[in-house]
Amino acid sequence: MEYRTIAAPVTASFIEKKSEFIAHLAPVHTQEESIHVIESIRRQHRRAKHHVYAYILRDGNVSRYSDDGEPQGTAGIPVLDVLQKKGLTDVCCVVTRYFGGVLLGANGLVRAYFHSAALAADAAQIKVMLPCYPVSIRMDYSLYGKIIYRLPPHDSIQIDSIFAEDVELKLLVRDTVWNQLYNELTEITNGKVLVHVGKLQYADFSKVITDTQ
């Protein structure tokens, strides 16, 4: 089952009726990492009154949010809503607000916090994480062309090619196509390849997916 997260922390900001909203979106894996991100932002912006946050974690299927002093339901939930609508997980978003002296009202706050988080999410590099196997294929040079031709371009990522006495290909192959690919490689080479398969893991397939669009 795939999931989506972000490649690196991003920041986005805008001003609404003299209040500045600064959204920080960061990749995380645990509640401890999320709390660290939140506390780090609070230290960076000590003068700000509100540090609204939301985070979603794959581990334990956890989602949390806080209005941090804003009227209930006007801040944390809109931020969480953005993360959910974008289909993101293993992320923490903190929106810092520097109050500008003009009240926004409940609806205004909802729109401002939603917009701020959305700006950060739109600026982030999205990683599409898919289950896959790390695979090493060793072969004679005469078989290299046949095997390269059969590799599924949108379901595998070539990590390395090592040319020595023979050829070794290091790949990440999606779990959904691996059995079929293995059978094809065995058939077209008459079993004259040495294949090593590692444990199932997740890897970023966003580039090969983008190439198909």
Side-chain angles (χ1 to χ4, degrees):
M1 182 177 181
E2 78 171 57
Y3 71 93
R4 292 173 182 256
T5 187
I6 64 172
V10 293
T11 300
S13 65
F14 82 106
I15 295 175
E16 177 70 16
K17 294 182 179 178
K18 299 183 180 181
S19 282
E20 184 179 14
F21 293 83
I22 307 171
H24 310 266
L25 182 62
V28 293
H29 295 93
T30 64
Q31 293 196 63
E32 290 76 15
E33 289 181 12
S34 302
I35 292 169
H36 176 76
V37 169
I38 296 163
E39 293 303 323
S40 176
I41 297 303
R42 282 176 173 159
R43 288 193 297 270
Q44 291 177 39
H45 298 277
R46 295 181 186 277
R47 294 186 296 107
K49 186 175 181 181
H50 303 288
H51 301 284
V52 170
Y53 67 80
Y55 60 84
I56 301 176
L57 305 173
R58 273 198 321 136
D59 187 15
N61 194 27
V62 173
S63 61
R64 299 282 188 274
Y65 67 88
S66 169
D67 294 314
D68 195 36
E70 296 283 28
Q72 184 176 358
T74 64
I77 289 179
V79 174
L80 181 65
D81 192 32
V82 169
L83 303 183
Q84 292 173 333
K85 280 183 165 60
K86 293 287 184 179
L88 297 177
T89 190
D90 283 351
V91 289
C92 177
C93 185
V94 184
V95 181
T96 296
R97 180 191 181 192
Y98 285 94
F99 181 55
V102 179
L103 297 176
L104 301 182
N107 291 337
L109 286 172
V110 170
R111 288 193 297 269
Y113 279 106
F114 185 95
H115 181 61
S116 184
L119 287 176
D122 289 342
Q125 179 185 344
I126 305 300
K127 296 168 63 176
V128 181
M129 306 296 290
L130 296 175
C132 60
Y133 291 105
V135 177
S136 169
I137 306 173
R138 297 181 71 99
M139 73 207 81
D140 185 80
Y141 276 81
S142 63
L143 299 174
Y144 178 71
K146 283 184 178 181
I147 289 178
I148 285 292
Y149 180 76
R150 289 297 183 101
L151 294 180
H154 310 310
D155 293 309
S156 66
I157 300 173
Q158 189 168 327
I159 303 299
D160 199 4
S161 300
I162 302 171
F163 298 92
E165 293 183 3
D166 53 13
V167 184
E168 181 181 5
L169 288 178
K170 293 186 176 182
L171 312 166
L172 294 173
V173 182
R174 287 190 62 178
D175 63 333
T176 53
V177 303
W178 168 241
N179 286 336
Q180 178 182 347
L181 177 62
Y182 177 77
N183 291 335
E184 288 182 5
L185 296 182
T186 301
E187 180 181 349
I188 65 174
T189 65
N190 292 319
K192 295 178 180 179
V193 289
L194 181 62
V195 178
H196 176 76
V197 186
K199 292 182 179 180
L200 189 69
Q201 63 183 53
Y202 276 84
D204 179 15
F205 275 71
S206 56
K207 187 178 187 305
V208 293
I209 290 174
T210 300
D211 290 344
T212 68
Q213 298 175 347

